[in-house]
Amino acid sequence: MTKITAAITCVNGYVPPKILTNKDLEKLVDTNDEWIISRTGIKERRILADGLGTSDMAFEATKGLLEKRGILATEIDLIVFCTVTPDMVFPASACILADKIGATNAFGFDLSAACSGFIFGLETGSRFIQSGVYKKVLVVGGDKMSSIIDYSDRNTCVIFGDGCGCVLLEPDMEGNGVVDSILKVDGNGRHFLHQKAGGSIKPASHETVDAREHFVYQEGQTVYKFAVKGMADVSAEIMERNNLTADDVAWLVPHQANLRIIDATANRMGVDKSKVMINIDHFGNTTNGTIPLLLWEWESQLKKGDNLILAAFGGGFTWGAIYLKWAY
Ligand code: UT7
Protein backbone atom coordinates (compact mmCIF):
# COMPACT_ATOMS: atom_id res chain seq x y z
CA MET A 1 0.00 0.00 0.00
CA THR A 2 1.30 3.50 -0.84
CA LYS A 3 2.31 5.44 2.25
CA ILE A 4 0.35 8.59 3.00
CA THR A 5 2.42 11.64 3.88
CA ALA A 6 1.11 15.04 4.98
CA ALA A 7 1.92 17.69 2.41
CA ILE A 8 1.60 21.42 2.83
CA THR A 9 -0.73 22.36 -0.04
CA CYS A 10 -1.28 26.03 0.80
CA VAL A 11 0.21 28.68 3.06
CA ASN A 12 -0.84 32.15 4.09
CA GLY A 13 -0.02 34.79 6.67
CA TYR A 14 -1.14 37.99 8.27
CA VAL A 15 0.71 40.73 10.11
CA PRO A 16 -0.95 43.83 11.52
CA PRO A 17 -0.22 47.11 9.75
CA LYS A 18 1.19 49.00 12.76
CA ILE A 19 5.01 49.08 12.77
CA LEU A 20 7.14 49.54 15.91
CA THR A 21 10.66 50.55 14.93
CA ASN A 22 13.89 50.48 16.93
CA LYS A 23 13.69 54.28 16.97
CA ASP A 24 10.23 54.06 18.57
CA LEU A 25 11.68 51.77 21.27
CA GLU A 26 14.48 54.26 21.96
CA LYS A 27 11.74 56.53 23.32
CA LEU A 28 10.42 53.82 25.67
CA VAL A 29 13.56 52.23 27.14
CA ASP A 30 17.31 52.80 27.33
CA THR A 31 18.25 51.13 24.06
CA ASN A 32 19.41 52.06 20.59
CA ASP A 33 19.03 50.97 16.99
CA GLU A 34 22.68 49.89 16.71
CA TRP A 35 22.49 47.59 19.79
CA ILE A 36 19.26 45.95 18.66
CA ILE A 37 20.45 45.32 15.10
CA SER A 38 23.91 44.04 16.05
CA ARG A 39 22.67 41.78 18.90
CA THR A 40 19.45 40.48 17.34
CA GLY A 41 19.13 41.48 13.66
CA ILE A 42 15.77 43.20 14.28
CA LYS A 43 14.89 46.56 12.72
CA GLU A 44 11.13 46.66 13.23
CA ARG A 45 8.20 44.53 14.31
CA ARG A 46 4.39 44.60 13.94
CA ILE A 47 1.93 45.37 16.74
CA LEU A 48 -1.72 44.29 16.78
CA ALA A 49 -4.27 46.92 17.82
CA ASP A 50 -5.73 46.96 21.32
CA GLY A 51 -8.97 45.02 21.57
CA LEU A 52 -7.92 42.44 18.98
CA GLY A 53 -6.56 38.99 19.80
CA THR A 54 -4.47 36.28 18.18
CA SER A 55 -7.56 34.69 16.63
CA ASP A 56 -8.23 37.93 14.73
CA MET A 57 -4.87 37.58 12.96
CA ALA A 58 -5.56 33.87 12.45
CA PHE A 59 -8.95 34.74 10.94
CA GLU A 60 -7.31 36.97 8.31
CA ALA A 61 -4.60 34.40 7.57
CA THR A 62 -6.93 31.39 7.28
CA LYS A 63 -9.60 33.27 5.34
CA GLY A 64 -6.93 34.08 2.74
CA LEU A 65 -5.72 30.49 2.76
CA LEU A 66 -9.19 29.08 2.07
CA GLU A 67 -9.61 31.52 -0.83
CA LYS A 68 -6.19 30.66 -2.25
CA ARG A 69 -6.82 26.92 -2.07
CA GLY A 70 -10.40 27.32 -3.30
CA ILE A 71 -11.99 25.33 -0.51
CA LEU A 72 -14.75 25.96 2.00
CA ALA A 73 -14.20 26.22 5.75
CA THR A 74 -16.68 23.36 6.15
CA GLU A 75 -14.14 21.05 4.47
CA ILE A 76 -11.62 21.50 7.30
CA ASP A 77 -11.43 18.44 9.59
CA LEU A 78 -9.06 19.71 12.27
CA ILE A 79 -7.55 22.98 13.48
CA VAL A 80 -4.28 22.83 15.45
CA PHE A 81 -3.77 26.35 16.82
CA CYS A 82 -0.21 26.85 18.07
CA THR A 83 0.09 29.84 20.37
CA VAL A 84 1.23 31.10 23.77
CA THR A 85 -1.11 34.07 23.58
CA PRO A 86 -4.55 32.54 23.11
CA ASP A 87 -7.47 34.98 23.11
CA MET A 88 -8.44 33.60 26.52
CA VAL A 89 -7.13 30.91 28.88
CA PHE A 90 -10.16 28.93 27.72
CA PRO A 91 -11.90 28.16 25.46
CA ALA A 92 -9.15 27.28 23.00
CA SER A 93 -8.46 29.77 20.24
CA ALA A 94 -9.03 26.86 17.84
CA CYS A 95 -12.71 26.92 18.88
CA ILE A 96 -12.92 30.68 18.43
CA LEU A 97 -11.26 30.50 15.01
CA ALA A 98 -13.51 27.63 13.89
CA ASP A 99 -16.51 29.78 14.77
CA LYS A 100 -15.14 32.88 13.02
CA ILE A 101 -14.35 31.11 9.74
CA GLY A 102 -17.35 28.77 9.85
CA ALA A 103 -15.40 25.51 10.15
CA THR A 104 -18.47 23.74 11.45
CA ASN A 105 -17.22 20.22 10.67
CA ALA A 106 -13.85 20.60 12.38
CA PHE A 107 -12.62 19.78 15.82
CA GLY A 108 -9.60 21.59 17.17
CA PHE A 109 -7.33 22.41 20.04
CA ASP A 110 -4.55 24.76 21.05
CA LEU A 111 -0.97 23.58 21.24
CA SER A 112 1.39 25.28 23.67
CA ALA A 113 5.10 24.78 23.01
CA ALA A 114 6.28 28.41 22.92
CA CYS A 115 8.56 29.15 19.95
CA SER A 116 8.63 25.48 18.87
CA GLY A 117 4.84 25.36 18.78
CA PHE A 118 4.46 25.49 15.02
CA ILE A 119 6.79 22.57 14.31
CA PHE A 120 5.18 20.54 17.11
CA GLY A 121 1.81 21.40 15.51
CA LEU A 122 3.02 20.43 12.05
CA GLU A 123 4.13 17.02 13.32
CA THR A 124 0.83 16.59 15.20
CA GLY A 125 -1.26 17.59 12.19
CA SER A 126 0.75 15.38 9.88
CA ARG A 127 0.03 12.34 12.06
CA PHE A 128 -3.71 12.96 11.76
CA ILE A 129 -3.32 13.08 7.96
CA GLN A 130 -1.16 9.93 7.95
CA SER A 131 -3.89 8.09 9.84
CA GLY A 132 -5.95 8.29 6.66
CA VAL A 133 -8.96 9.53 8.63
CA TYR A 134 -8.40 13.27 8.27
CA LYS A 135 -8.08 14.92 4.86
CA LYS A 136 -7.71 18.63 5.57
CA VAL A 137 -5.84 19.85 8.64
CA LEU A 138 -5.21 23.51 9.30
CA VAL A 139 -2.08 24.24 11.34
CA VAL A 140 -2.03 27.82 12.60
CA GLY A 141 0.94 29.49 14.32
CA GLY A 142 0.46 32.94 15.72
CA ASP A 143 1.00 35.20 18.68
CA LYS A 144 0.11 38.62 19.93
CA MET A 145 3.36 38.87 21.86
CA SER A 146 2.72 42.56 22.55
CA SER A 147 -0.03 41.42 24.96
CA ILE A 148 2.57 39.79 27.28
CA ILE A 149 5.53 42.12 26.78
CA ASP A 150 6.62 44.70 29.32
CA TYR A 151 7.47 47.81 27.31
CA SER A 152 9.59 49.08 30.19
CA ASP A 153 11.90 46.00 30.09
CA ARG A 154 14.62 46.48 27.49
CA ASN A 155 15.71 42.86 27.79
CA THR A 156 12.54 41.62 26.15
CA CYS A 157 10.58 44.45 24.54
CA VAL A 158 12.99 44.90 21.65
CA ILE A 159 12.73 41.28 20.57
CA PHE A 160 9.10 40.32 20.04
CA GLY A 161 6.39 41.20 17.53
CA ASP A 162 2.89 40.11 16.51
CA GLY A 163 1.97 37.96 13.52
CA CYS A 164 0.30 34.76 12.38
CA GLY A 165 0.78 32.20 9.62
CA CYS A 166 -1.04 29.04 8.65
CA VAL A 167 -0.65 26.01 6.43
CA LEU A 168 -3.07 23.44 5.06
CA LEU A 169 -2.05 19.78 5.30
CA GLU A 170 -3.48 17.26 2.87
CA PRO A 171 -2.64 13.62 2.04
CA ASP A 172 0.12 13.06 -0.53
CA MET A 173 0.99 9.80 -2.23
CA GLU A 174 4.29 10.93 -3.80
CA GLY A 175 6.27 11.21 -0.58
CA ASN A 176 6.01 15.01 -0.32
CA GLY A 177 5.38 16.81 2.96
CA VAL A 178 6.66 15.88 6.40
CA VAL A 179 9.34 13.22 5.94
CA ASP A 180 11.01 13.14 9.36
CA SER A 181 11.05 15.01 12.64
CA ILE A 182 13.08 15.27 15.84
CA LEU A 183 11.19 17.02 18.64
CA LYS A 184 12.35 17.51 22.22
CA VAL A 185 11.44 19.08 25.57
CA ASP A 186 13.47 19.73 28.71
CA GLY A 187 11.37 21.21 31.50
CA ASN A 188 14.48 22.17 33.45
CA GLY A 189 14.70 25.10 31.08
CA ARG A 190 11.42 26.55 32.30
CA HIS A 191 13.20 28.73 34.87
CA PHE A 192 14.93 30.79 32.19
CA LEU A 193 11.96 31.72 29.99
CA HIS A 194 8.42 31.92 31.29
CA GLN A 195 5.49 34.03 32.39
CA LYS A 196 5.42 34.00 36.19
CA ALA A 197 1.75 34.65 36.91
CA GLY A 198 -1.66 34.01 35.43
CA GLY A 199 -1.54 30.22 35.64
CA SER A 200 -2.90 27.95 38.36
CA ILE A 201 0.22 28.19 40.51
CA LYS A 202 -0.03 31.97 40.74
CA PRO A 203 -3.40 33.30 39.56
CA ALA A 204 -3.77 36.97 38.75
CA SER A 205 -3.93 39.21 41.80
CA HIS A 206 -3.19 42.85 42.59
CA GLU A 207 0.24 41.68 43.79
CA THR A 208 1.09 39.84 40.57
CA VAL A 209 0.05 42.83 38.50
CA ASP A 210 2.06 45.22 40.69
CA ALA A 211 5.09 42.93 40.40
CA ARG A 212 4.71 42.93 36.59
CA GLU A 213 4.53 39.14 36.57
CA HIS A 214 2.14 38.80 33.64
CA PHE A 215 4.90 39.55 31.16
CA VAL A 216 7.59 37.45 29.47
CA TYR A 217 10.54 36.83 31.76
CA GLN A 218 13.73 35.75 30.00
CA GLU A 219 17.32 35.16 31.07
CA GLY A 220 18.58 35.92 27.60
CA GLN A 221 22.17 34.68 27.74
CA THR A 222 21.24 31.29 29.20
CA VAL A 223 18.47 30.79 26.67
CA TYR A 224 20.85 31.87 23.93
CA LYS A 225 23.42 29.20 24.84
CA PHE A 226 20.84 26.40 24.91
CA ALA A 227 19.19 27.69 21.72
CA VAL A 228 22.41 27.75 19.69
CA LYS A 229 23.28 24.20 20.69
CA GLY A 230 19.73 22.81 20.59
CA MET A 231 18.76 24.14 17.17
CA ALA A 232 22.09 23.30 15.54
CA ASP A 233 22.23 19.77 17.03
CA VAL A 234 18.81 18.65 15.81
CA SER A 235 19.24 20.30 12.41
CA ALA A 236 22.53 18.48 11.84
CA GLU A 237 21.07 15.22 13.19
CA ILE A 238 18.02 15.27 10.91
CA MET A 239 20.25 15.89 7.88
CA GLU A 240 22.55 13.04 8.85
CA ARG A 241 19.87 10.45 9.43
CA ASN A 242 18.20 11.32 6.11
CA ASN A 243 21.53 11.31 4.24
CA LEU A 244 21.13 14.94 3.26
CA THR A 245 24.19 17.01 2.36
CA ALA A 246 24.16 20.80 2.49
CA ASP A 247 23.71 20.77 -1.30
CA ASP A 248 20.56 18.67 -0.93
CA VAL A 249 18.96 21.26 1.36
CA ALA A 250 17.09 23.88 -0.66
CA TRP A 251 16.10 26.02 2.35
CA LEU A 252 16.68 26.28 6.07
CA VAL A 253 13.51 27.65 7.69
CA PRO A 254 14.64 28.61 11.20
CA HIS A 255 12.68 30.08 14.08
CA GLN A 256 13.52 33.78 14.26
CA ALA A 257 14.74 34.51 17.80
CA ASN A 258 18.12 36.00 17.04
CA LEU A 259 20.10 36.34 13.80
CA ARG A 260 23.19 35.00 15.58
CA ILE A 261 21.36 31.76 16.52
CA ILE A 262 20.18 31.40 12.92
CA ASP A 263 23.72 31.92 11.58
CA ALA A 264 25.14 29.35 14.02
CA THR A 265 22.56 26.77 12.90
CA ALA A 266 23.25 27.39 9.21
CA ASN A 267 27.02 27.16 9.80
CA ARG A 268 26.70 23.86 11.64
CA MET A 269 24.62 22.46 8.75
CA GLY A 270 27.05 23.87 6.20
CA VAL A 271 24.14 25.62 4.49
CA ASP A 272 24.94 28.86 2.69
CA LYS A 273 23.28 32.03 3.96
CA SER A 274 21.56 32.50 0.60
CA LYS A 275 19.44 29.43 1.42
CA VAL A 276 18.30 30.64 4.84
CA MET A 277 14.87 32.27 5.17
CA ILE A 278 15.01 35.35 7.38
CA ASN A 279 12.23 37.74 8.41
CA ILE A 280 13.49 38.72 11.87
CA ASP A 281 14.63 42.09 10.49
CA HIS A 282 11.08 43.20 9.66
CA PHE A 283 8.86 41.09 11.96
CA GLY A 284 11.06 40.39 15.02
CA ASN A 285 10.33 37.22 16.97
CA THR A 286 6.67 36.39 16.39
CA THR A 287 7.01 33.15 18.46
CA ASN A 288 4.59 30.65 16.86
CA GLY A 289 4.30 32.85 13.79
CA THR A 290 7.91 32.88 12.58
CA ILE A 291 8.05 29.67 10.52
CA PRO A 292 4.65 29.81 8.77
CA LEU A 293 5.24 33.51 8.02
CA LEU A 294 8.59 32.59 6.42
CA LEU A 295 6.92 29.93 4.26
CA TRP A 296 4.30 32.49 3.25
CA GLU A 297 6.88 35.13 2.29
CA TRP A 298 9.07 32.62 0.41
CA GLU A 299 6.23 30.66 -1.21
CA SER A 300 6.88 32.00 -4.72
CA GLN A 301 10.51 30.82 -4.56
CA LEU A 302 9.70 27.27 -3.47
CA LYS A 303 9.62 24.42 -5.98
CA LYS A 304 8.03 20.98 -5.84
CA GLY A 305 10.51 18.52 -4.37
CA ASP A 306 12.59 21.15 -2.53
CA ASN A 307 14.08 19.79 0.69
CA LEU A 308 13.33 22.13 3.60
CA ILE A 309 14.67 21.87 7.13
CA LEU A 310 12.46 23.63 9.68
CA ALA A 311 14.13 24.21 13.06
CA ALA A 312 13.06 25.91 16.28
CA PHE A 313 13.96 26.46 19.92
CA GLY A 314 11.80 28.01 22.61
CA GLY A 315 10.51 28.26 26.14
CA GLY A 316 10.03 25.01 27.99
CA PHE A 317 12.65 24.33 26.80
CA THR A 318 11.21 22.95 23.58
CA TRP A 319 13.10 22.41 20.37
CA GLY A 320 13.26 20.36 17.23
CA ALA A 321 13.68 20.04 13.48
CA ILE A 322 11.43 18.81 10.67
CA TYR A 323 12.52 17.57 7.25
CA LEU A 324 9.84 18.59 4.77
CA LYS A 325 9.58 18.05 1.00
CA TRP A 326 7.73 20.92 -0.66
CA ALA A 327 4.73 19.63 -2.59
CA TYR A 328 3.93 22.34 -5.19
O1 UT7 B 1 12.52 32.61 20.91
C1 UT7 B 1 12.58 31.95 22.13
C2 UT7 B 1 13.96 31.67 22.57
N1 UT7 B 1 14.65 32.89 22.87
C3 UT7 B 1 15.87 33.08 22.42
O2 UT7 B 1 16.39 32.23 21.72
C4 UT7 B 1 16.58 34.33 22.85
C5 UT7 B 1 18.01 34.02 23.20
N2 UT7 B 1 18.73 35.18 23.72
C6 UT7 B 1 19.10 36.21 22.95
O3 UT7 B 1 18.78 36.28 21.78
C7 UT7 B 1 20.00 37.25 23.55
O4 UT7 B 1 20.48 36.79 24.79
C8 UT7 B 1 19.34 38.65 23.75
C9 UT7 B 1 19.10 39.29 22.41
C10 UT7 B 1 18.05 38.49 24.52
C11 UT7 B 1 20.28 39.56 24.52
O5 UT7 B 1 21.53 39.67 23.86
P1 UT7 B 1 22.88 39.38 24.64
O6 UT7 B 1 23.97 39.59 23.67
O7 UT7 B 1 22.79 38.03 25.27
O8 UT7 B 1 22.90 40.51 25.71
P2 UT7 B 1 23.01 40.39 27.30
O9 UT7 B 1 21.69 39.98 27.87
O10 UT7 B 1 24.21 39.58 27.65
O11 UT7 B 1 23.30 41.87 27.69
C12 UT7 B 1 24.52 42.53 27.30
C13 UT7 B 1 24.43 43.97 27.75
C14 UT7 B 1 24.00 44.14 29.20
O12 UT7 B 1 24.65 45.29 29.72
P3 UT7 B 1 25.95 45.15 30.65
O13 UT7 B 1 25.49 44.31 31.81
O14 UT7 B 1 26.96 44.45 29.80
O15 UT7 B 1 26.27 46.55 30.97
C15 UT7 B 1 22.53 44.43 29.09
O16 UT7 B 1 22.03 45.16 30.17
O17 UT7 B 1 23.45 44.65 26.95
C16 UT7 B 1 22.48 45.25 27.83
N3 UT7 B 1 21.19 45.23 27.16
C17 UT7 B 1 20.79 46.20 26.33
N4 UT7 B 1 21.39 47.31 25.90
C18 UT7 B 1 20.72 48.08 25.02
C19 UT7 B 1 20.23 44.30 27.25
N5 UT7 B 1 19.18 44.64 26.46
C20 UT7 B 1 19.52 45.81 25.89
C21 UT7 B 1 18.86 46.66 24.98
N6 UT7 B 1 19.50 47.78 24.57
N7 UT7 B 1 17.63 46.39 24.49
Side-chain angles (χ1 to χ4, degrees):
M1 219 173 79
T2 317
K3 199 178 155 208
I4 303 172
T5 52
I8 293 179
T9 56
C10 197
V11 55
N12 205 37
Y14 174 81
V15 290
K18 186 179 170 191
I19 294 173
L20 182 70
T21 65
N22 291 349
K23 286 274 168 221
D24 296 330
L25 286 164
E26 285 179 8
K27 292 174 203 143
L28 300 176
V29 289
D30 180 15
T31 191
N32 58 77
D33 185 49
E34 195 276 326
W35 189 97
I36 302 172
I37 292 177
S38 64
R39 295 293 182 120
T40 70
I42 303 168
K43 293 177 184 156
E44 59 185 44
R45 62 292 290 140
R46 301 300 179 100
I47 302 294
L48 188 64
D50 288 347
L52 295 179
T54 305
S55 80
D56 292 300
M57 294 190 290
F59 172 73
E60 296 297 338
T62 51
K63 194 176 60 151
L65 179 142
L66 296 172
E67 280 165 19
K68 255 169 101 171
R69 186 67 182 141
I71 60 168
L72 299 171
T74 47
E75 294 177 55
I76 302 292
D77 301 309
L78 165 64
I79 299 174
V80 183
F81 199 133
C82 313
T83 186
V84 287
T85 51
D87 287 14
M88 304 172 183
V89 173
F90 75 91
S93 293
C95 303
I96 300 170
L97 180 64
D99 180 50
K100 285 183 175 170
I101 61 174
T104 48
N105 295 313
F107 81 110
F109 51 84
D110 287 4
L111 189 152
S112 174
C115 295
S116 309
F118 183 77
I119 61 168
F120 283 24
L122 197 56
E123 168 72 359
T124 306
S126 89
R127 295 294 175 182
F128 278 90
I129 294 286
Q130 273 186 334
S131 74
V133 179
Y134 301 91
K135 307 292 183 206
K136 287 186 172 48
V137 173
L138 198 56
V139 183
V140 179
D143 275 297
K144 184 185 182 184
M145 292 306 291
S146 61
S147 66
I148 53 167
I149 291 299
D150 181 353
Y151 286 93
S152 67
D153 174 13
R154 71 175 183 173
N155 289 303
T156 51
C157 75
V158 302
I159 300 168
F160 294 97
D162 302 339
C164 181
C166 56
V167 300
L168 184 69
L169 293 178
E170 294 184 79
D172 187 288
M173 299 301 183
E174 298 171 30
N176 297 310
V178 176
V179 180
D180 193 14
S181 66
I182 302 173
L183 304 176
K184 293 176 180 284
V185 303
D186 177 1
N188 273 319
R190 68 188 182 279
H191 309 290
F192 309 112
L193 178 52
H194 58 256
Q195 186 178 320
K196 292 185 187 301
S200 56
I201 202 166
K202 209 187 239 196
S205 65
H206 286 294
E207 288 74 25
T208 61
V209 171
D210 289 345
R212 309 185 80 75
E213 289 181 337
H214 294 271
F215 296 119
V216 171
Y217 169 84
Q218 175 169 252
E219 293 179 27
Q221 271 196 20
T222 308
V223 179
Y224 182 88
K225 281 179 202 144
F226 279 97
V228 164
K229 183 165 167 23
M231 238 168 88
D233 279 356
V234 287
S235 303
E237 190 185 337
I238 207 160
M239 281 174 71
E240 203 177 305
R241 80 179 191 190
N242 288 282
N243 299 314
L244 294 172
T245 65
D247 286 343
D248 298 325
V249 175
W251 295 99
L252 167 62
V253 194
H255 170 57
Q256 311 280 301
N258 187 315
L259 198 52
R260 291 179 289 148
I261 300 173
I262 297 169
D263 288 346
T265 304
N267 284 341
R268 176 76 175 282
M269 296 165 72
V271 168
D272 190 76
K273 241 189 145 172
S274 61
K275 297 202 285 188
V276 182
M277 297 186 191
I278 290 168
N279 65 12
I280 193 169
D281 53 328
H282 50 284
F283 292 156
N285 182 349
T286 51
T287 304
N288 283 277
T290 58
I291 290 177
L293 284 171
L294 286 169
L295 295 174
W296 173 51
E297 285 186 275
W298 263 260
E299 186 187 20
S300 63
Q301 296 182 55
L302 296 173
K303 293 189 295 293
K304 187 173 178 178
D306 274 356
N307 293 317
L308 274 56
I309 302 292
L310 282 49
F313 187 94
F317 292 139
T318 57
W319 71 104
I322 286 187
Y323 166 29
L324 179 91
K325 245 186 202 306
W326 198 249
Y328 61 97

